Amino acid sequence: MNHLIEFDKLQWNEPVLGLRYKVFSCGNQVIKLVEFSEGFIEHDWCKKGHAGYVLDGEFSIDYKGNVERYKKSDVIFIPSGEQDKHKAILGKGEKVTLLLFEVIET
């Protein structure tokens, strides 16, 4: 197995306006290169757990009314579950690139 993840060789997935991502997975572990940009609206609360690193840009996350701001080089840890449900928020002209680490729960 090659242990180098070459995101530049993976295709972008663009499921909705303002969101694109590349995915590497092995077993129950997932690493995503994610870009959120203006126009992205997260309609439903996310209850998945994430650990992430902000590679570039800035954005906010709404944790049930408690909004936290993140910028380049910040590290984020969000436990899974109802208590930490969240939504990404991008302001006008904002764009952020993240590296997200997730474990697929079985």
Side-chain angles (χ1 to χ4, degrees), residues 42-79:
E42 195 162 13
H43 296 286
D44 297 317
W45 292 100
C46 178
K47 297 177 188 174
K48 289 170 46 175
H50 313 279
Y53 181 77
V54 181
L55 296 168
D56 196 31
E58 295 185 20
F59 78 125
S60 298
I61 298 179
D62 180 353
Y63 299 93
K64 301 184 298 184
N66 180 31
V67 177
E68 294 182 14
R69 187 87 178 146
Y70 301 99
K71 63 185 179 334
K72 182 177 180 175
S73 79
D74 283 347
V75 178
I76 304 166
F77 178 74
I78 306 171

Side-chain angles (χ1 to χ4, degrees), residues 1 9-10 18 20 27 52-53 61 71 78 80-81 89 91 104:
M1 175 179 172
K9 293 183 179 179
L10 298 176
R20 69 182 195 154
Y53 181 77
I61 298 179
K71 63 185 179 334
I78 306 171
S80 62
I89 302 172
I104 299 171

Side-chain angles (χ1 to χ4, degrees), residues 6-11 22:
E6 297 180 89
F7 276 114
D8 58 334
K9 293 183 179 179
L10 298 176
Q11 295 291 320
K22 295 180 178 188

